[in-house]
Amino acid sequence: MPVTQETEVARPDSKIKITATTDLVQKIVYLKCNDEETFRTKPADNLVGLNLSQVQKVYEGWTIDKFDNQEVVMNLKVDSFCREHANNTFIGVKDGHVAVYYGKPGPRAILKEMTQIPLTRLSAQDADEIKRGLAVQSREELLRTLEGLQSQ
C-alpha cells in the first residue's frame, strides 16, 4: 500500500501530543503599542493528550511556532493596546504644550493627543507637575484637569 503525503503528515502529527509536563508558551503582541506579553504555564487538563491539529482548533487565531512534547510556542497578534497603555493615561508635555499620553510617564508612553495649551501659560507648580507626568484615573478627571489648565 503506497504511503500518501497525507499519511506522512498525519502520522507524526498524531504521535506528538501535549503531556502534563509540556511547557505552554503564549506570546501576545499588541499592535497599537508593539508591546509583548509572554506567559509560560503548564497545560490545563483539557489540553493534555491533544495533538497539533486539535490544539489549533482550541487556539483558533493563534500561530503555533513550535509543537513538541517539551514545549508548545504560540503567538497572537491583537489590534489593541496592552494593559499598561490601555488602563493608564497621564498628562505630560510635548513640544512645549500640554499633551495627553497612553501608559505611564516614561519613555514607553504613547502620545494620544496634543492640546493648544502652552506650558508657559501654567503656574510654575502646575508646569512642574505636568513635566513629571500627571496621572488621571478617568476621562472625566482628564477633561476636568485640562479645563482647569486651559483657564489659567
Side-chain angles (χ1 to χ4, degrees), residues 40-126:
R40 180 179 287 271
T41 60
K42 293 298 180 192
D45 291 342
N46 65 325
L47 296 177
V48 174
L50 298 186
N51 63 26
L52 175 59
S53 62
Q54 292 167 321
V55 170
Q56 285 172 324
K57 287 177 187 153
V58 173
Y59 288 96
E60 196 175 321
W62 291 74
T63 303
I64 298 179
D65 299 320
K66 180 181 177 187
F67 190 92
D68 63 32
N69 299 73
Q70 281 78 43
E71 188 176 58
V72 174
V73 179
M74 60 180 81
N75 70 68
L76 180 66
K77 291 182 165 82
V78 180
D79 189 22
S80 67
F81 289 106
C82 70
R83 279 175 276 190
E84 179 182 321
H85 285 109
N87 296 334
N88 296 290
T89 305
F90 73 93
I91 300 170
V93 178
K94 171 93 171 137
D95 300 332
H97 284 79
V98 174
V100 180
Y101 289 87
Y102 291 112
K104 295 180 179 174
R108 294 175 15 94
I110 297 172
L111 181 66
K112 177 181 181 182
E113 170 188 357
M114 287 279 295
T115 73
Q116 298 302 311
I117 306 168
L119 198 61
T120 54
R121 186 203 237 159
L122 306 182
S123 70
Q125 182 181 350
D126 284 347

